[in-house]
Amino acid sequence: MKSKSKVGIILLLILALLLVACSGGKTTEKTEVEKPAATDATPAEKTDGAEKTDPAEETEKEPAGEVENVKLGAVLPLTGATATTGANLKVAMEVAVDLINNSHDLDWDIAKNEGIAALNGAKIELLFGDCQSDATIASTEAANLLEKDIVGIAGAYASGFSAAVAAQALEYNIPMICGSSSSASLTDGKTYDFASVFNRIAANDEMETKEFYLFLQHLNEKYNAGIKKVAIAYINNAYGIHADEMFAQYAPEYGFEVVAQVAYEPTITAADTEAAQIINANPDVVFQASYIGDLTMFAQAYKAYDYAPKMIMCYCGGFQDASFAEVAKGLGVNYYSGGQASAEVLSDKMPVFKYVNEMYKTKTGLDIDGPALEEFASIILFVQAMEIAGSSEPADIINALRNNSFDAPYLTVGKIEFNENGQNIEMASFITQLIDGVYQVVFPLDEYVTSEPIVNQ
Amino acid sequence: MLSQVIINGIMTGFVYALVAVGLTLTWGVMDIINFAHGEFLLWGMYAAFGLWSLFSLDPILSLPVSAALIFILGVFTYFVVVKRVLKASGLTALLATFGLSMVLKNLAQMIFTANYKNVTNTIFASKTIKLGNFFIRQDYLAAAVGSLTLTLLVLTFINKTKTGVAIKATSMNRSTAQLMGINTDRIFAITFGLSGACVGAAAALMVPFTPITPGSCTLYSVLAFVIVALGGFGNITGALYAGLLVGVVEAMGGYFLGTSFKYAIIFLMYLIVMQIRPKGLFGW
């Protein structure tokens, strides 16, 4: 028996190491939703007729005349823990390539033109690298792509992967556009030294926190919500810890009192104890920095213990996963809100977004979500920069990206502009609230609002 | 609130216990460390999810099917993987099952993708029983009752049936058991199958409140190893008590010391117990 104990201790150490390794790579997670039947004809099919092919195949076509293709690279997690998300992001990028390389019946120059006008109609050739949901491999894959004469690199979804790719891009002095990574450290100008080549489209968690508090102030002013006390439940990793820091840092500035900060491990099997601590603090509003699995467990626990705060504000992560809409609807709750860069309900108000969404939906069966729209934007931005620079030289693209504002009719904010650290200073996301299982735009108060917020009183 | 936390811990502990009972059968009785135990649980969850999504079968009702499927997986594993390395050193069997765990996990990812899957709108979902100031989640209660019942059934099977006694005899001395006419090969296959059936049943009880992804069961697997060691290798009642202990310590530790420490406390307890009582708290 004693030898068994020793074996047991060794075994546990091995298992614990495996567990740490597994949780370390965990990033924004997605849940599968039932894929609806594909829509009728895709916009691409409508414009290009029966011979329309896959966008990836389109990239292989040689442009007319002597013009050479312009090569871009993209590192994405196409296998491993975040493979499904990576596959969807790849489709979003391919949609962008299709819009750029082929003429589409859409009132937007990028889509109307065939190829890059400033480069005599040169087409984009997009090369993909699979980081296998691993930051080390992301670095290797980026290096492989950078050896293939690419003029820019995109990706790589999780902040850790993006940082690894950006470090390689700096070595080669090639511009990088990161669509969806949210860690503020990527563009704080202090943590990393790749600011000269790095550009990030997504709002970071600092920007998101400020918008959340503005929203709560709005609820107090217009709906007399009486929100004073706030608490946060956050996953104990880089994403959650930074969200918690922002949450606590800005609460007093916006007039709110922090009553609880509950951290939990990425591998939790149940969230009841964590939920109990939140409930015990009795906040008016709960912030959640959680992935889909954890957020679902919290939602079930809150509901089971009959706890209904005035609002639950979610930092990207699990809330953006379309399957959470089904969870919230199943629980019969309408108090979940969070940041989004995309919402299907905006289709009628944004024709370019609608067109892109339909192209994406034809290939995936899903509405385009925030991260996918941001990765789509990364490819579009490269081309916009080349159009402005009139060149496909990496140095010219870097200059163009830093010194211009770019038209983005697929985002509610309508444009993208980077600061000196590469952060998009235009808020790419807005606040949506899950009302009867549908993401409704509730803030900021502009023409894109689709519903009044519901405050749980 | 503390009482509520303790109740939650007890409920969670029962589920941990059932997962550990399966492991204690193979580890304690057969002296084989099944590294793929967590993946058996994972496949049990996917079986329950599949039956729910395809036939709208509530996991509670599909429990026998999940248990039977993982029983078959267990028997298959024994004949295809374990039997071939039975005479080799313990490390060989360990590595073989480790390899199997990788195969099963990656196969799950290939078939079901890495996306989370939820079993919703089950019989007991989001319902609670209120007792004074306490809430008891019905899905947890169902899992706890189911877990206790199944553990007692396994215990009865091992102690009261001819096959169960043969399993015990084989665990004590394989050669003597063979001399007594026991087909130890068959007994090992049944034990592996029974271990699978336990986690298959546990999986069906857990899916109403556990989102499923290929990495879902890693922590359950680690905790099962702790519980088996604490409960005493091969001791089914020990696994039940140790499961409850781990559930309560996890809940209370998280409540008092912070939820980010709740698993660290369990492993600390394990290390202390192993130093003081290497046979486990309930071992002999």
Side-chain angles (χ1 to χ4, degrees):
Chain A
M1 287 297 177
K2 204 161 187 174
S3 64
K4 279 186 180 176
S5 304
K6 286 176 183 171
V7 172
I9 290 172
I10 294 166
L11 205 59
L12 274 166
L13 286 171
I14 295 167
L15 283 166
L17 282 171
L18 277 173
L19 201 63
V20 169
C22 290
S23 63
K26 198 174 182 182
T27 56
T28 308
E29 296 153 353
K30 288 189 69 68
T31 305
E32 185 165 291
V33 293
E34 291 299 317
K35 290 185 178 182
T39 52
D40 296 326
T42 70
E45 284 166 346
K46 285 172 191 167
T47 53
D48 295 349
E51 289 181 9
K52 181 77 199 105
T53 56
D54 185 273
E57 290 169 29
E58 289 292 342
T59 60
E60 291 167 12
K61 287 181 188 173
E62 280 297 319
E66 300 292 317
V67 182
E68 283 187 14
N69 286 352
V70 173
K71 288 182 187 171
L72 291 175
V75 177
L76 290 172
L78 300 175
T79 54
T82 49
T84 309
T85 302
N88 289 339
L89 300 182
K90 180 170 180 272
V91 170
M93 289 180 171
E94 288 170 342
V95 166
V97 172
D98 190 334
L99 278 176
I100 293 160
N101 286 351
N102 302 294
S103 181
H104 290 255
D105 185 19
L106 187 64
D107 187 20
W108 186 30
D109 286 346
I110 288 273
K112 262 195 238 170
N113 296 336
E114 196 167 326
I116 306 166
L119 301 179
N120 301 320
K123 293 195 175 183
I124 290 292
E125 185 178 342
L126 186 55
L127 310 176
F128 288 100
D130 175 14
C131 72
Q132 299 173 34
S133 306
D134 183 300
T136 308
I137 298 171
S139 179
T140 315
E141 284 297 305
N144 288 340
L145 289 173
L146 288 160
E147 289 290 339
K148 293 178 180 170
D149 296 328
I150 58 171
V151 300
I153 192 162
Y157 182 49
S159 298
F161 310 160
S162 296
V165 174
Q168 289 291 343
L170 180 66
E171 289 286 313
Y172 288 76
N173 203 30
I174 295 287
M176 174 174 179
I177 301 179
C178 166
S180 55
S181 303
S182 68
S183 172
S185 64
L186 289 170
T187 51
D188 64 8
K190 294 177 287 188
T191 311
Y192 301 106
D193 58 0
F194 47 59
S196 60
V197 297
F198 186 79
N199 305 277
R200 186 250 302 274
I201 297 165
N204 63 36
D205 37 22
E206 183 176 12
M207 297 162 81
E208 204 165 31
T209 301
K210 289 177 181 176
E211 191 170 47
F212 284 179
Y213 283 130
L214 284 173
F215 175 57
L216 297 185
Q217 285 182 334
H218 165 68
L219 295 181
N220 278 344
E221 287 161 12
K222 186 170 178 189
Y223 300 93
N224 200 21
I227 298 165
K228 291 175 187 163
K229 295 183 290 181
V230 291
I232 186 170
Y234 64 97
I235 192 163
N236 199 4
N237 64 11
Y239 150 66
I241 290 167
H242 202 269
D244 173 58
E245 284 171 9
M246 296 297 105
F247 160 82
Q249 182 181 328
Y250 287 104
E253 195 175 303
Y254 286 84
F256 297 101
E257 179 195 354
V258 175
V259 292
Q261 291 166 274
V262 177
Y264 62 88
E265 288 305 298
T267 48
I268 55 169
T269 54
D272 293 73
T273 310
E274 291 80 357
Q277 290 195 329
I278 292 285
I279 295 166
N280 216 18
N282 195 27
D284 298 312
V285 169
V286 179
F287 284 52
Q288 292 275 164
S290 306
Y291 296 127
I292 180 66
D294 335 324
L295 189 59
T296 301
M297 286 192 271
F298 270 99
Q300 288 173 338
Y302 290 146
K303 177 72 178 175
Y305 301 125
D306 212 14
Y307 176 64
K310 290 177 178 174
M311 195 69 81
I312 294 180
M313 304 299 305
C314 305
Y315 287 96
C316 51
F319 176 77
Q320 292 184 340
D321 193 307
S323 72
F324 187 69
E326 292 174 24
V327 171
K329 191 179 179 184
L331 293 172
V333 295
N334 286 326
Y335 44 71
Y336 284 88
S337 295
Q340 293 268 27
S342 171
E344 195 275 334
V345 289
L346 292 173
S347 287
D348 291 340
K349 298 184 177 189
M350 301 170 68
V352 173
F353 169 77
K354 182 181 182 181
Y355 196 88
V356 171
N357 188 37
E358 283 177 8
M359 287 179 76
Y360 178 85
K361 197 169 186 175
T362 302
K363 289 175 178 292
T364 62
L366 304 166
D367 286 313
I368 194 164
D369 58 18
L373 191 64
E374 287 157 350
E375 298 299 347
F376 162 86
S378 66
I379 304 301
I380 296 292
L381 270 178
F382 271 124
V383 172
Q384 288 176 315
M386 284 186 259
E387 294 280 17
I388 289 171
S391 159
S392 60
E393 286 298 314
D396 295 333
I397 298 172
I398 289 171
N399 283 335
L401 285 170
R402 282 302 159 85
N403 298 313
N404 292 282
S405 175
F406 298 91
D407 177 34
Y410 45 86
L411 295 176
T412 54
V413 72
K415 59 182 178 176
I416 292 170
E417 188 176 339
F418 298 107
N419 67 12
E420 70 279 7
N421 292 324
Q423 174 62 46
N424 175 16
I425 57 172
E426 302 293 342
M427 187 68 186
S429 60
F430 40 81
I431 292 179
T432 56
Q433 184 171 6
L434 270 172
I435 299 173
D436 297 330
V438 177
Y439 293 101
Q440 297 287 357
V441 182
V442 293
F443 193 80
L445 303 173
D446 54 26
E447 71 268 34
Y448 296 111
V449 165
T450 59
S451 173
E452 291 269 324
I454 296 175
V455 183
N456 186 29
Q457 298 286 8
Chain B
M1 186 53 74
L2 178 61
S3 306
Q4 180 70 59
V5 167
I6 293 170
I7 288 172
N8 291 343
I10 292 170
M11 297 292 153
T12 310
F14 274 118
V15 177
Y16 288 164
L18 186 57
V19 177
V21 163
L23 186 67
T24 208
L25 282 170
T26 51
W27 193 2
V29 177
M30 291 175 64
D31 202 15
I32 288 172
I33 300 162
N34 181 13
F35 233 125
H37 191 70
E39 281 64 37
F40 280 20
L41 181 66
L42 178 69
W43 276 86
M45 285 184 171
Y46 278 121
F49 171 78
L51 291 164
W52 171 79
S53 60
L54 291 175
F55 307 110
S56 302
L57 203 54
D58 194 279
I60 291 288
L61 303 176
S62 68
L63 185 149
V65 183
S66 302
L69 287 172
I70 309 305
F71 176 91
I72 293 166
L73 178 64
V75 172
F76 179 79
T77 298
Y78 172 72
F79 282 116
V80 175
V81 180
V82 177
K83 187 181 174 184
R84 294 166 193 275
V85 294
L86 212 51
K87 288 177 183 168
S89 71
L91 196 62
T92 310
L94 186 147
L95 289 173
T97 55
F98 179 76
L100 178 69
S101 76
M102 293 288 115
V103 170
L104 290 175
K105 186 183 277 190
N106 285 289
L107 195 63
Q109 182 160 324
M110 198 174 85
I111 296 171
F112 302 105
T113 77
N115 289 351
Y116 275 82
K117 299 189 189 306
N118 290 300
V119 176
T120 54
N121 299 321
T122 56
I123 294 171
F124 301 112
S126 307
K127 292 174 188 153
T128 51
I129 296 169
K130 196 170 183 190
L131 297 172
N133 292 327
F134 306 132
F135 288 97
I136 299 177
R137 285 177 61 168
Q138 287 192 14
D139 49 5
Y140 280 15
L141 185 63
V145 171
S147 179
L148 182 62
T149 307
L150 288 164
T151 304
L152 293 176
L153 275 175
V154 172
L155 197 61
T156 307
F157 176 80
I158 295 291
N159 289 325
K160 303 286 182 189
T161 67
K162 203 173 172 182
T163 308
V165 173
I167 289 173
K168 282 174 76 176
T170 307
S171 75
M172 288 172 186
N173 192 313
R174 187 181 175 188
S175 303
T176 310
Q178 278 176 326
L179 288 172
M180 295 296 111
I182 294 171
N183 182 346
T184 53
D185 195 37
R186 182 172 156 269
I187 290 298
F188 279 176
I190 290 172
T191 308
F192 239 87
L194 193 58
S195 168
C198 286
V199 283
L205 293 168
M206 286 160 60
V207 286
F209 51 84
T210 308
I212 314 162
T213 189
S216 289
C217 298
T218 311
L219 186 62
Y220 279 105
S221 179
V222 176
L223 291 175
F225 280 100
V226 169
I227 291 165
V228 169
L230 287 177
F233 302 94
N235 187 342
I236 293 167
T237 46
L240 178 64
Y241 298 146
L244 288 171
L245 181 67
V246 165
V248 173
V249 167
E250 174 193 312
M252 288 182 66
Y255 187 77
F256 285 114
L257 299 175
T259 48
S260 52
F261 293 106
K262 67 182 189 180
Y263 298 116
I265 295 160
I266 293 169
F267 296 121
L268 182 65
M269 174 179 74
Y270 166 79
L271 287 172
I272 293 169
V273 170
M274 285 299 103
Q275 293 303 313
I276 299 167
R277 196 174 158 79
K279 294 174 185 172
L281 290 172
F282 310 102
W284 59 81

